[in-house]
Structure formats: C-alpha cells, structure tokens
Amino acid sequence: MSDLSKEQVNNDVLEDEGRRKFFGTTAVASLAGAGLVMGLSACKQSEDGVAGKAAGHLEGSSKFEVQPGKLDSYYSFSSAGHNGEMRIYGIPSGRTLKRIPVFNVDPMVGWGITNESKAIMGTNADGSLKYMTGDTHHVHGSYTDGTYNGKYLWTNDKLNNRLARIRMDRMECDAITDIPNVQGFHGIFPDKRDPVDANVNFTTRVFCGSEFASPKPNDGRDTSDPTKWFSLFTCVDAESMEVRWQVRINGNNDLVATSYDGKLAASNQYNTENGAVLADMMSVERDACVFFNIERIEAAIKAGKSFTIGNTKVPVVDGTIDANKDPKTALVCYVPVPKNPHGVNISPDGKYFVCSGKLSPTATVIETELVHKWFAGELKTERDAVVAEPEIGLGPLHTGFDGKGNAFTTLFLDSQIVKWNVDKAIAQFKGDKSAQPVLDRIDVHYQPGHGYTSMGETKEADGKFYNSGNKFSKDRFLPVGPLHVETEQLIDISGEKMQLIHDHTAYPEPHDAIIVRADLVKTKQVSDMNDYPNAVKSMSDNRIERKGKKVMVYMTSQAPNFGLSEIKVKHGDDVTITLTNHDKVEDLTHGFGIENYNVNFIVNPQETHSVSFKANKAGVFWIYCTHFCHALHLEMRMRFIVEA
Ligand code: K7E
Ligand code: CUA
Ligand code: CA
C-alpha cells in the first residue's frame, strides 16, 4: 500500500483519483522496461472522441445480484494459468463453484494421488508422476450445431505441452494427451463441424497451436542453429484424444479459432520472423494470421504426402510458405496482419475473424468467405481477405462479440475495453469517412488480457455479459503480500453503453474463459458404481489379500463407517487400497487419509478410487475420514498397523 496515502486507506472506499496515480506510475515503469511505451495514458480522450469513463459503482447493479439461495444463470469455465487447473465461476455472481485439478496435484480430491488419476496424468516406470504441474491458458467446449453441447471442455498445458479433456457431466478430467515435438503449446480450439461430412455437425477435432520453434526431433541436434527449428500446428481427435496430424509452418502459432463451417482453423502469428530474441520477434511491421484448410490437409495425409519426425508416428504435412505458393493446392494461407498480433476470434455469424494488433493500435477483420476465395485462386493476394482494420486503442488483445454486430476488444496498454461495430469498421475501410466504428470505452482495473462475452464463441451469442480478465489488480482489493489477487470485472453489455457490474477476485492467474448458459450444462450428482471396474460392490466383500509382498485391501465406506476396522501389513509391503463409497445420498462424500503416510483422497457417492504405496514405516497409523460426512464423522476411523 506504500503508494497510497493514509487518508485514502482510512476512507471506507478508496477514491478513484488515488488509484489512477498509483496505476499510472507502476504501469509506465513496467512497460518502459519492456521497451513498449506507446504513449500510455490510463484514461485518455481518444482521437475517436469516445472518452473512457471511470468505472465506479454502477447504480442499479443490484439487479444482477444473485440473492442467497438463488442460482447463477451462467457458468464461466476458466483457465488458471500456471496453477495448472481449470475453474468454474457462477455468472453474474462471480462465485467460485469448483476448481478442477488437471495438470496439478490436488490432495483434497486425491488428484495425482489415486491410481486412477495418476493413470490419466501419466507416470514414470516407478509409478511417480511424469509431471506435477502445467500452465492452462485456454478453455473451450464441444459443439453441436454451432453451440455448446455440454459434453466436453478442453484446456492446454503450455508448460509440458499436453491437451486435457474435462467431461462435463462430472466436471473432471478424463484424458490428457502429449503433443509431440512442440513447445509453447498455447492456443486451442475445437472444430464446430466436419469440413466434408454434412451429417457431422459436432466437434470431432481439437486444434492446437505451438508458439516456440524447436529442433526436430529435439534430441540434442541443431541446438545452436535456430534456422533449423520450426513450429507445428496439431490436430487431436476429440473422442480418442489421439494426435491425428501435424502441419509444419513458418513462424509460430499463438491463439487458435475455428470457422462455423468446419473448414478453417486460424491462428495468429507474432513471430513470423522466427526470431529467438525479443528484438528479432518485433523486427517486421506485419506478421500474419494463418488459415489451415482442414479438408486439403486431411486429403494430403490420405494421399501419403506426409513425413514423420524421429520416432513419432504422427503424419506431418508441409505448410510452409514455399510449399504453398499455389492457392489452388495450398494447405495453408498466410494473411499479413500488423504487428505481433495477439488473439484471434470469430464473430458469432461466422463471417469474420478478428486478429488484434498488440503492437499496432488496430484490429484486423478478415472475411471468412474471402479466405475461401483465396484457396479457390480467386483472390490476388492474401492481404485481400482483409476487409477492415480500425484503430481501436493501444495494446489490443482479445475480442468478444455480442451477436448484434459489435466487438469488444481488450486494450492492455490503455486499460480499457473498447466496443466497436464491425460493419462500421468495414465501411470505414472502404472509404466512408463518416463511419465511426468505435462506439464506447470503459476503464478496467487494470490492464486486461482476455475478455469474453456470454455465449460469445457460439452462434447463440446473447450480448448480456462481458467479463474482463485483468492482469493487475493493484489497489482493487485488500493487499495480501507481494502477489496481488487478480481482478475479473463483469460488465453489462446489453445497452448502448457498457456498465461495470462488479469486480470479483481470481487466484493468479487465469487467462481465458467461456461463459456458458446454465441450461446447457447437465451434471450427474451421483455416480454409477458400474462405471468403476474395480468397485468393491458388496459390503461383504471387505477383505485383505496377500500375494508375496503385495497386499491388496478391498474396502467400502458408508457413513459413519469404513468396511474394515483395521488393516494389518508388514514393514516393506507394497499396499494397494481400493475404496468404494456405498452411500447414495447426493453430496455424501467420504475422505480417506492415513496419518504420516501422505495418503489423502475422497470418494464421492458410488465412486471407487485406489492408492498404492509402500508400508515403509512400522507402527500404528490412524486412518480417518477427511471429509465432513455425518454427525459421527470424527468417529469414522480405523487403524493401519505396520508390523516391524
Ligand atoms: Cu492472451 Cu495465453 Cu490467451 Cu493470456 S493468452 S491473456
Ligand atoms: Cu465419512 Cu467424514
Ligand atoms: Ca513479429
């Protein structure tokens, strides 16, 4: 709080003015360090004449209050950044509903501890986890007919290059796939239908972009020759979660978006220079938004026009510029876009891809139909697919849509959300001087990364809410030490002017999210015992079996009892405990913890989980229920006895 005066602290509510000053100094300092100062002002009167308004408390925002006992109307499925999990918030309340462990270990639920979750996460030969951490940036859902079908969510791991799937009926991770031969796996997007088969109007592929070029294979060769390194674009099968194919590209892939006709996947490229250091990555004025022709890529693979890398069996096709000079056979189209673009999003009507400039104050609008025309050989240059490039503000990143023709783009440097009209931007680009695309601006606190609208990534975009995921909260919440909490700001976009509804906190640091109508999500509240092949199905099946040094314990739980009162083993035994929860009542979960043995997991009603470990300490160790379940929860315990 050092930058804020005592008086400000003593006021019940800090004044906006003090915050602006605080924001201004730190932001300029941090950007100067990166050499990216571009005329920063926190609350500027822009050339388009639309002033950013101070976003104080909205009068009447209580109409969005979710009263005690009432439910939210939307789910927000959010990434969690380098925490490695996925999160669920209620919208409009901003309440945290669930944290889904994915690439991280979560002892509360036993993720990374039970044998079943370890099998999904991947283990080394000795049974230890291959990776204990990840970095989730993007969350997207499976589609039918251009809207969410409530079946799956996917998220990326930029750190260890894996794609994870969440089954939405349980909101649990059920598969993780390694993406071979890539680094910096960042953008993901599911397709929305099949490019060829008209009957397949649902998601069957997930596309993955990778940011960092690397040697191929990365086995110690070419370590000092970056000219030999390259990036790959990857397609994963949505059901089997196997890698289908990859495309070698020039430059890199950052974010990914897909067309509504299933035919195109797009990715913005900020490093067409293939630079290995910052100055090189910013050396050209235009980078690109690259479009992948899915039908042609899959035909090329069918025709055997592919190669493989090292021991990997995944077919790779050549999507480099030199190999794709003829549009009529090209697999890939590189549309030039200024400069170090970040973010690519498609409008809900499927007509336009918007790619933000980041180091250019513009957003580039690319018409889907014109990209198809380029692939048909009917366009002179790739750049001819661009139909608008409005100036919208400094540091534009991600764009959401309201389904009424308006776009909402985060301005990282301006700390604003700008609302602009796509048709007006196109008219202006065509030369109509009276067309003013920018309609409104609102200050956010502070420096937004992703922003996204309710149902905005579907053809059912409803123009109700916009959430700004801000990278710095600074003075916005009580300080909690050097690392501040992040702010998410919910904005009402239903009217002409954007109105701030409220701030809610997010544990650092989320990136992207989707806002999904609650009626599209159907979860199971009680599991089916038959879905667990290792279930201990009868209460009379409680038993201990021994084969040499291997001890298998089969157990049940039913409040307030475990099916056994003790487990007796010998020092050095390899113990596997399988526990089935026979309670059928919704929310009646039991926990299973062994004192001083680092074992901790839960079993929800009708579920089965197991753990394996070595009995490496002799003595008596209490096993107790870790999850409050019953008036006699404290008494729900048993003994683990290890004989010397
Ligand atoms: Cu812009 Cu990883 Cu989507 Cu963060 S990325 S903000
Ligand atoms: Cu069972 Cu607490
Ligand atoms: Ca660049």
Side-chain angles (χ1 to χ4, degrees), residues 312-520:
T312 317
K313 294 203 174 65
V314 176
V316 184
V317 293
D318 190 349
T320 56
I321 294 168
D322 283 345
N324 291 273
K325 287 240 155 82
D326 178 5
K328 286 188 175 162
T329 56
L331 309 179
V332 180
C333 168
Y334 294 75
V335 177
V337 165
K339 168 178 188 176
N340 284 37
H342 186 59
V344 56
N345 300 87
I346 188 168
S347 58
D349 58 12
K351 284 186 180 166
Y352 306 108
F353 287 87
V354 173
C355 194
S356 293
K358 192 166 78 187
L359 298 189
S360 158
T362 54
T364 302
V365 182
I366 300 165
E367 191 175 332
T368 312
E369 204 42 51
L370 292 177
V371 176
H372 286 314
K373 281 202 166 151
W374 184 86
F375 278 117
E378 293 166 21
L379 227 57
K380 264 202 201 118
T381 70
E382 292 87 345
R383 181 70 192 169
D384 292 337
V386 172
V387 292
E389 207 152 72
E391 278 208 24
I392 54 173
L394 298 182
L397 297 182
H398 298 284
T399 300
F401 299 90
D402 64 0
K404 300 171 203 157
N406 301 310
F408 300 78
T409 304
T410 51
L411 300 174
F412 182 81
L413 298 184
D414 279 341
S415 256
Q416 288 182 333
I417 308 304
V418 55
K419 174 182 178 180
W420 54 282
N421 182 275
V422 178
D423 284 340
K424 284 191 174 141
I426 294 169
Q428 185 189 49
F429 195 73
K430 278 189 185 140
D432 179 351
K433 292 216 169 76
S434 69
Q436 280 295 341
V438 172
L439 304 177
D440 192 25
R441 295 175 186 278
I442 189 170
D443 288 348
V444 290
H445 309 84
Y446 302 94
Q447 298 189 285
H450 275 273
Y452 34 89
T453 56
S454 43
M455 297 297 288
E457 310 257 25
T458 75
K459 67 177 189 191
E460 296 187 313
D462 59 22
K464 287 193 179 147
F465 296 112
Y466 178 94
N467 193 81
S468 176
N470 305 322
K471 293 301 182 195
F472 300 89
S473 70
K474 302 190 184 293
D475 57 347
R476 206 67 183 172
F477 300 104
L478 286 175
V480 287
L483 177 64
H484 289 264
V485 73
E486 311 295 358
T487 44
E488 305 270 349
Q489 290 189 295
L490 191 69
I491 295 167
D492 174 9
I493 56 164
S494 61
E496 252 175 61
K497 297 277 164 196
M498 293 177 275
Q499 302 258 42
L500 179 69
I501 297 170
H502 62 62
D503 295 10
H504 61 273
T505 58
Y507 184 64
E509 70 153 5
H511 288 253
D512 196 13
I514 54 173
I515 302 177
V516 179
R517 248 180 24 240
D519 65 281
L520 295 172

Side-chain angles (χ1 to χ4, degrees), residues 248-259:
R248 178 186 178 162
I249 53 159
N250 287 111
N252 69 344
N253 289 144
D254 187 16
L255 281 280
V256 177
T258 59
S259 63

Side-chain angles (χ1 to χ4, degrees), residues 269-274 278-288 339-341 359:
Q269 305 193 299
Y270 63 80
N271 188 17
T272 48
E273 302 92 337
N274 252 337
L278 184 62
D280 291 343
M281 294 185 215
M282 301 196 302
S283 62
V284 301
E285 282 311 306
R286 275 184 186 157
D287 287 288
K339 168 178 188 176
N340 284 37
L359 298 189

